[in-house]
């Protein structure tokens, strides 16, 4: 029987206290849907970085603001989208820097996410990050 695509939305307040519970709920969903141990570790670290960026930069740790996340899992990949209400950032600045050298004041998390995920892209002027991890055989 062929596995189908499944998805789930997660919505939580934009503060660090809520982020931990949201991350755990998201990881539970990923674990329940067949992630290997290696995939779990990579996704956990990348997800932590992306959520921390959304809380710190997008919401300024303000629990009255909302972060929306979507996870879609299909037989080939895990796709995670995280969107915050912030103004975003200069995405082009992160794309021109070498992945191993960080010349921006911030951005170490972006380099880390790139090293752990197969694809990372941005939408909404940088207030949305899309992380994609291919599934192993």
């Amino acid at each position: 029987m062929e596995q189908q695509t499944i998805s789930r939305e997660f919505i939580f307040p934009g503060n660090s206290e809520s982020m931990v519970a949201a991350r755990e709920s998201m990881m539970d969903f990923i674990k329940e849907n067949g992630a290997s141990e290696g995939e779990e570790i990579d996704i956990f670290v990348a997800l932590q970085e992306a959520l921390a960026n959304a809380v710190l930069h997008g919401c300024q740790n303000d629990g009255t603001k909302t972060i929306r996340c979507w996870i879609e899992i299909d037989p080939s990949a895990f796709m995670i989208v995280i969107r915050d209400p912030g103004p975003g950032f200069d995405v082009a600045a992160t794309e021109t820097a070498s992945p191993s050298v960080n010349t921006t004041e911030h951005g170490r998390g972006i380099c880390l996410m790139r090293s752990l995920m197969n694809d990372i892209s941005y939408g909404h002027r940088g207030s949305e990050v899309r992380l994609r991890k291919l599934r192993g055989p």
Side-chain angles (χ1 to χ4, degrees), residues 73-103:
I73 303 170
D74 68 29
S76 66
F78 298 90
M79 180 68 150
I80 303 165
V81 178
I82 299 166
R83 184 182 299 165
D84 64 60
F89 66 97
D90 182 7
V91 174
T94 67
E95 293 171 355
T96 57
S98 166
S100 62
V101 178
N102 178 20
T103 57

Side-chain angles (χ1 to χ4, degrees), residues 42-43 45-47 49-50 53 89-104 106-123 126 128-134:
D42 289 352
I43 292 170
V45 174
L47 181 60
E49 289 297 327
N53 285 344
F89 66 97
D90 182 7
V91 174
T94 67
E95 293 171 355
T96 57
S98 166
S100 62
V101 178
N102 178 20
T103 57
T104 60
H106 298 286
R108 289 173 296 280
I110 292 170
C111 291
L112 182 59
M113 288 186 289
R114 280 193 179 140
S115 73
L116 296 169
M117 304 302 279
N118 295 98
D119 297 303
I120 178 170
S121 60
Y122 300 95
E128 176 182 284
V129 62
R130 295 179 292 267
L131 307 169
R132 185 168 171 255
K133 180 73 172 176
L134 296 177

Side-chain angles (χ1 to χ4, degrees), residues 8 10 20-30 32 71:
R8 184 166 168 199
F10 299 82
V20 173
R23 183 196 64 215
E24 293 306 315
S25 293
M26 294 170 78
M27 286 305 302
D28 287 345
F29 180 69
I30 288 165
E32 291 165 6
I71 298 176

